[in-house]
Amino acid sequence: FLSSSDFSDSLGFWTVGFLLYFLATIVPSFSSQVRRFHDSGLSGWNILWSAFPYIGGIIILVLTLRDSEKGQNKWGPNPKGQ
């Protein structure tokens, strides 16, 4: 069986691993979400909705599921080519 010291050592390992994963993926995650907002014709500042628990996630989900703007918007051409 595992002793309490083995458990705390493995807990520290997983905590550090999760922290490194989080730090490595936070910027790419935000940048892809901002690009998606731009495709929909929205400002990238809408990412700040994610700071609000629960309701922010729902707002982000709804904004992400919107279709892209037809043609070109102020951030460039439609990535779908429409």
Side-chain angles (χ1 to χ4, degrees), residues 21-35:
Y21 174 79
F22 175 77
L23 291 174
T25 60
I26 190 73
V27 171
S29 297
F30 278 179
S31 67
S32 65
Q33 189 64 49
V34 167
R35 277 184 276 150

Side-chain angles (χ1 to χ4, degrees), residues 54-70:
Y54 304 112
I55 190 70
I58 294 169
I59 292 170
I60 294 288
L61 177 66
V62 169
L63 293 177
T64 301
L65 294 176
R66 289 180 46 168
D67 196 19
S68 299
E69 279 189 340
K70 303 282 188 225

Side-chain angles (χ1 to χ4, degrees), residues 39 67-73 78 80 82:
D39 290 344
D67 196 19
S68 299
E69 279 189 340
K70 303 282 188 225
Q72 188 164 334
N73 62 25
N78 185 334
K80 292 182 183 178
Q82 297 176 349

